[in-house]
């Protein structure tokens, strides 16, 4: 669950990146956040991850009041979300398996659990056969799926995916959104940030549009693909 109440973000440079943003994303939803470059998408994402605090207003994610989080509660909160960054942020000379196992070790999971969980999430993204490959030997699309598997390792309630189709051709973009939809059907709330209006309109679903820091559209539309709802 994500809830923002009267959120403003004013950067020291003088830019109002978000202006009186109010939104609620319920558990189990799949939401596209769209907007042109500079509209405020990254700022919204940083708020959801508690990388940034709002200048005013309140942000709640997965039951945590983010403005009140301190100390080890922050680490606990972060494990309740999964984030797939545009540039993946994988450890290139680790294997695929190790990239995913690493975050579970940080979360103090048992070796027994790690041996079960890592193959499970790698199979979800269809990379079970590549577990022993070094990350730098994979294609961009495969690395992205490792990043998704890693983000799912801690079984987060919320998955935030930042511009995942930026470097993909149209067919792979559709496959990627299809994969995210499957993950969503398994119960994870998915927020996908994108500037690709066409893709979003083809899939349909709930679309939140940002323009100059304001939500100008928040509706569920029908899509035209088989996967659309
Ligand atoms: P988007 O992700 O939609 O491209 P951003 O959230 O990155 O938009 O940016 C929204 C606005 O805030 C833009 O005008 C951008 O230049 C400005 N901005 C973003 N980050 C910072 C920052 N750290 N300091 C000052 N201004 C920023």
């Amino acid at each position: 669950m994500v809830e923002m109440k009267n959120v403003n973000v004013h950067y020291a440079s003088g830019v109002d990146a978000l202006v009186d943003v109010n939104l609620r994303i319920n558990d189990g939803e799949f939401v596209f956040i769209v907007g042109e470059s500079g509209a405020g998408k990254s700022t919204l994402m940083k708020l959801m991850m508690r990388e940034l605090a709002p200048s005013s207003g309140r942000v709640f994610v997965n039951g945590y009041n983010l403005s009140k989080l301190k100390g080890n509660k922050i680490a606990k909160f972060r494990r309740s979300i999964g984030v797939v960054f545009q540039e993946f942020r994988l450890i290139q000379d680790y294997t695929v398996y190790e990239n995913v196992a690493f975050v579970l070790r940080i979360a103090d999971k048992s070796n027994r659990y790690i041996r079960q969980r890592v193959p499970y999430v790698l199979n979800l993204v269809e990379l079970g056969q590549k577990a022993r490959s070094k990350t730098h030997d994979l294609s961009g699309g495969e690395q992205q799926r490792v990043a998704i598997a890693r983000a799912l390792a801690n079984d987060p309630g919320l998955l935030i995916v930042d511009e995942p189709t930026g470097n993909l051709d149209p067919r792979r973009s559709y496959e990627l959104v299809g994969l995210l939809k499957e993950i969503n059907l398994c119960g994870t709330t998915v927020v996908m940030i994108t500037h690709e209006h066409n893709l979003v309109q083809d899939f349909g679903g709930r679309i939140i549009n940002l323009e100059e820091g304001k939500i100008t559209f928040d509706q569920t539309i029908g899509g035209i693909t088989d996967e659309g709802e």
Side-chain angles (χ1 to χ4, degrees), residues 83-138:
V83 182
V84 183
F85 297 97
Q86 272 179 66
E87 69 284 10
F88 314 146
R89 302 191 190 177
L90 299 170
I91 303 173
Q92 290 292 323
D93 54 359
Y94 274 20
T95 62
V96 167
Y97 184 98
E98 281 300 323
N99 264 286
V100 180
F102 179 65
V103 295
L104 291 167
R105 289 203 188 98
I106 290 176
D108 274 337
K109 300 293 184 197
S110 70
N111 287 334
R112 187 160 172 261
Y113 179 78
I114 292 171
R115 281 196 300 271
Q116 289 172 352
R117 183 72 184 165
V118 178
Y120 176 78
V121 289
L122 288 178
N123 283 333
L124 267 183
V125 299
E126 293 176 13
L127 279 179
Q129 304 302 317
K130 298 265 181 178
R132 301 285 158 204
S133 301
K134 284 275 169 63
T135 308
H136 55 62
D137 290 335
L138 303 183

